[in-house]
Each structure stands twice: as C-alpha cells, then as structure tokens.
C-alpha cells in the first residue's frame, strides 16, 4: 500500500508539459477567496466575436505540479484550433484557473478557498468578459489528475452551477483510501493534509465527504451528467480507484460515461480525450459528431438532457 501511495502522490504532484507557443489569454487576479495573487487563462475560437456570439463555458482544472499555463505548455490551444476547424469539437469558451497544489478544496483551516475562488471569482469574471451563456445549463467542469478530484468535488458541492462534470485520471477516494492517503508520511511531506482536510483521525468527517456515501442514487447527482475516464497505462492505483468508482456507480444505477483511453498520466495522452470531454459536455456524448454544415457553428443552446447509459465494467 505504501509503495502504491508513493507512486500516486508523485503522479498527482509532478506534471510535465512540453513547451509550446502561447495561445490562451492570461489574466492575473488578486484573489479574495484564495487570499493570494492568482491567475487564469482563457481559450476561445480564433474567430470568436464577443459582440455577436454567446458560447457555453468549460472550467478546466489542472493537475498537481501544473498551472493555468498547462494548456499552452502542452499545445492544447493549437490542438483545439485544429479540431474546431475540422468540426470535431463544439464552439466553447474554456477557462483554466490556477489551483496550485491545493486539491481544488476550500481548506479546512480557512487559509485557502480554491473552490470559492473558481465559483465566486473566476466564473463570474469570465461570464462577464466573454458573455458566456448562463449556468447551469451551459456551464461545465472538467479536469485531469488532481483536477479530476476537484471536478468531482465541484460537482458534489455545486450541482446548481454545472450541467456536466468530466474527471480524467482522477484519484477517486473512498473513506478508507483518503485516510490512508492523508496519513502517509511521504504525502505529508509534500501536502499540508491537515490544513486541507483537517485532522486525519476524524473518521466521521471523512465519511461525510465520501462520494461513495453521497452518490448512492441517480437523484444524488442532481441532474449533473458525469464522465469518468482513466489512461490504460496510468498509475495502477488510479486505474483501480477509477474502476472501483465506476463499479459503484453501476451498482447504484447512476448513469455515467466511463472509458479507458490509450496512454499514460501525461498531457499528451489527455489531449485527445479533452475533445471527448467537450463533445460530451456540449453535444451530449463523447463520440457525438457535428451535424451542422461546416460553415455553420453548432447551436449554443443548452446541452441535451439525455445521458449515455453506464458502460459495462
């Protein structure tokens, strides 16, 4: 168990991206909620005209060791430009906020409030600047690794804000796993676990935040459409955690999309899956295809109500 946790924390905290030319718009902010200087970056279609077009909003949460610059560093902006030109993804505004290594939590000790920073500062600012369509029907959250953890937590804490949540390579902890994770000596060297989650021996509080206990009926998702995916060569611990949570959702008849994709715990593997996330969020399914003529952008209306039935384990 200790070896698996060591590998997991290294995967979560040390991301790696190749350098690429900047494509996203960078914005610096003095955050009230995070109580420090923060930033976010925004991707829009190259031909986007804020005065003439209103688009859905995707909030994308980076992993540990990464930052709001990750999309640029991994060349994802240019990739999305090409995918959009080919009609393979919908038109959308994407914001990538800075999350540091805070696990996208409102910290137990009150020193950092990363969820509030995104919900109360980033989203309103981007909605105002880019005139995005209203939440929740047209607002979506997704993320990779630590950002996948954050995605599921955002979906649980703020179901009235988002229409969909897409978690890639996420550490989906149950009560026992989070207790092992936060109690591990090596993890405590890198992560201020008690500042983030509080006393690690407070089992009742840990259980109260366990998604295995919170999501036990279809109604518990409160209308949020859920996508869960993990790389075929990801860390063993992450693959097992995702398969276990997928099985839990299936066992409780909670509709969701689950799949495993080629690659490892790297941006180069996540990049093509982000296309699927956008299609799932805006068009209703990860393998949806554009039906409008090539010179006509997809409708900016709310996403479809239907969801894809659970996949088989």
């Amino acid at each position: 168990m200790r070896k698996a946790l060591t590998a997991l924390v290294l995967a979560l905290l040390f991301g790696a991206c190749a350098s690429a030319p900047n494509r996203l718009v960078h914005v610096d902010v003095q955050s009230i909620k995070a109580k420090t200087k923060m930033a976010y970056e925004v991707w829009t279609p190259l031909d986007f005209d804020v005065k003439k077009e209103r688009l859905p909003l995707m909030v994308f949460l980076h992993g540990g060791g990464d930052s709001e610059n990750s999309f640029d560093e991994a060349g994802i902006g240019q990739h999305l430009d090409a995918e959009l030109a080919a009609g393979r993804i919908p038109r959308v505004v994407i914001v990538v906020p800075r999350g540091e290594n805070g696990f996208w939590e409102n910290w137990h000790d009150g020193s950092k409030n990363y969820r509030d920073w995104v919900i109360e500062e980033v989203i309103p600012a981007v909605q105002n600047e880019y005139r995005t369509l209203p939440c929740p029907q047209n607002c979506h959250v997704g993320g990779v690794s630590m950002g996948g953890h954050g995605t599921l937590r955002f979906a649980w804490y703020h179901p009235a804000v988002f229409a969909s949540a897409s978690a890639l390579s996420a550490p989906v902890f149950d009560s026992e796993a989070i207790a092992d994770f936060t109690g591990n000596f090596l993890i405590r060297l890198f992560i201020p676990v008690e500042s983030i989650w509080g006393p690690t021996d407070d089992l009742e509080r840990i259980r109260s935040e366990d998604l295995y206990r919170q999501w036990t009926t279809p109604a518990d998702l409160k209308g949020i459409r859920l996508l869960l995916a993990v790389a075929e060569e990801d860390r063993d611990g992450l693959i097992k955690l995702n398969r276990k949570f997928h099985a839990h959702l299936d066992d409780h008849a909670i509709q969701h999309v689950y799949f495993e994709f080629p690659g490892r715990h790297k941006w180069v593997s996540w990049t093509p899956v982000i296309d699927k996330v956008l299609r799932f969020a805006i068009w209703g399914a990860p393998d949806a295809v554009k039906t409008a003529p090539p010179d006509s952008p997809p409708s900016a209306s709310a996403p479809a109500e239907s969801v894809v039935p659970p996949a088989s384990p």
Side-chain angles (χ1 to χ4, degrees):
M1 176 64 74
R2 179 170 296 179
K3 183 177 180 181
L5 284 171
T6 299
L8 181 56
V9 72
L10 292 175
L12 293 176
L13 292 183
F14 297 102
C17 294
S19 180
N22 289 350
R23 164 66 174 84
L24 279 68
V25 175
H26 184 94
V27 180
D28 289 312
V29 177
Q30 184 62 43
S31 171
I32 296 173
K33 297 299 180 179
K35 302 180 182 181
T36 189
K37 184 176 180 180
M38 298 293 278
Y40 59 84
E41 295 200 347
V42 181
W43 179 90
T44 64
L46 288 169
D47 60 348
F48 174 67
D49 187 334
V50 69
K51 295 181 179 179
K52 297 180 180 180
E53 186 178 16
R54 300 187 69 188
L55 296 176
L57 175 64
M58 167 63 72
V59 178
F60 202 90
L61 309 178
H62 65 73
D66 289 318
S67 72
E68 73 281 0
N69 298 319
S70 297
F71 262 45
D72 269 338
E73 292 171 348
I76 295 173
Q78 291 87 342
H79 167 81
L80 295 179
D81 291 342
E83 293 297 286
L84 182 60
R88 289 189 287 265
I89 61 170
R91 295 175 69 83
V92 62
V93 172
I94 302 174
V95 59
V96 185
R98 179 182 298 171
E100 300 175 327
N101 285 333
F103 275 77
W104 301 102
E105 300 280 10
N106 283 353
W107 285 18
H108 183 269
D109 68 1
S111 62
K112 305 278 187 178
N113 293 306
Y114 291 98
R115 278 196 308 275
D116 288 351
W117 141 247
V118 174
I119 297 294
E120 299 181 28
E121 296 183 88
V122 175
I123 291 178
V126 175
Q127 285 182 311
N128 181 65
E129 180 70 18
Y130 293 89
R131 299 181 66 250
T132 56
L133 291 165
C135 299
Q137 295 91 342
N138 305 284
C139 293
H140 310 271
V141 61
V144 298
S145 192
M146 182 188 78
H149 166 87
T151 292
L152 297 175
R153 301 283 282 175
F154 273 57
W156 175 45
Y157 276 104
H158 297 285
V161 176
F162 302 106
S164 75
S166 301
L168 309 181
S169 298
V172 192
F173 295 128
D174 60 13
S175 300
E176 291 71 25
I178 191 64
D180 287 342
F181 181 78
T182 56
N184 180 270
F185 173 75
L186 177 64
I187 289 169
R188 295 170 75 91
L189 289 178
F190 290 101
I191 303 173
V193 295
E194 294 198 356
S195 293
I196 299 175
W197 289 292
T200 57
D201 58 356
D202 186 352
L203 297 182
E204 284 306 310
R205 179 190 52 78
I206 291 174
R207 292 189 181 107
S208 73
E209 299 180 346
D210 185 343
L211 289 181
Y212 282 82
R213 293 169 179 260
Q214 297 298 326
W215 288 349
T216 59
T217 72
D220 290 335
L221 264 69
K222 299 181 180 178
I224 286 185
R225 295 180 293 113
L226 180 64
L227 181 150
L228 192 69
V230 66
E232 294 170 351
E233 299 177 71
D234 220 316
R235 302 289 183 177
D236 285 344
L238 288 176
I239 295 173
K240 291 176 182 177
L241 289 174
N242 278 264
R243 289 176 178 172
K244 181 178 178 180
F245 192 57
H246 163 54
H248 166 82
L249 296 172
D250 264 358
D251 289 345
H252 291 81
I254 297 175
Q255 291 185 310
H256 65 290
V257 170
Y258 175 81
F259 59 89
E260 297 179 9
F261 53 90
R264 301 184 179 184
H265 201 83
K266 295 180 178 294
W267 281 101
V268 67
S269 300
W270 294 321
T271 297
V273 186
I274 292 172
D275 298 355
K276 290 179 175 287
V277 167
L278 295 176
R279 291 194 292 266
F280 169 75
I282 313 303
W283 289 347
D287 296 316
V289 295
K290 181 177 176 181
T291 57
D295 58 350
S296 175
S299 170
S301 61
E305 292 292 332
S306 61
V307 294
V308 178
S312 301

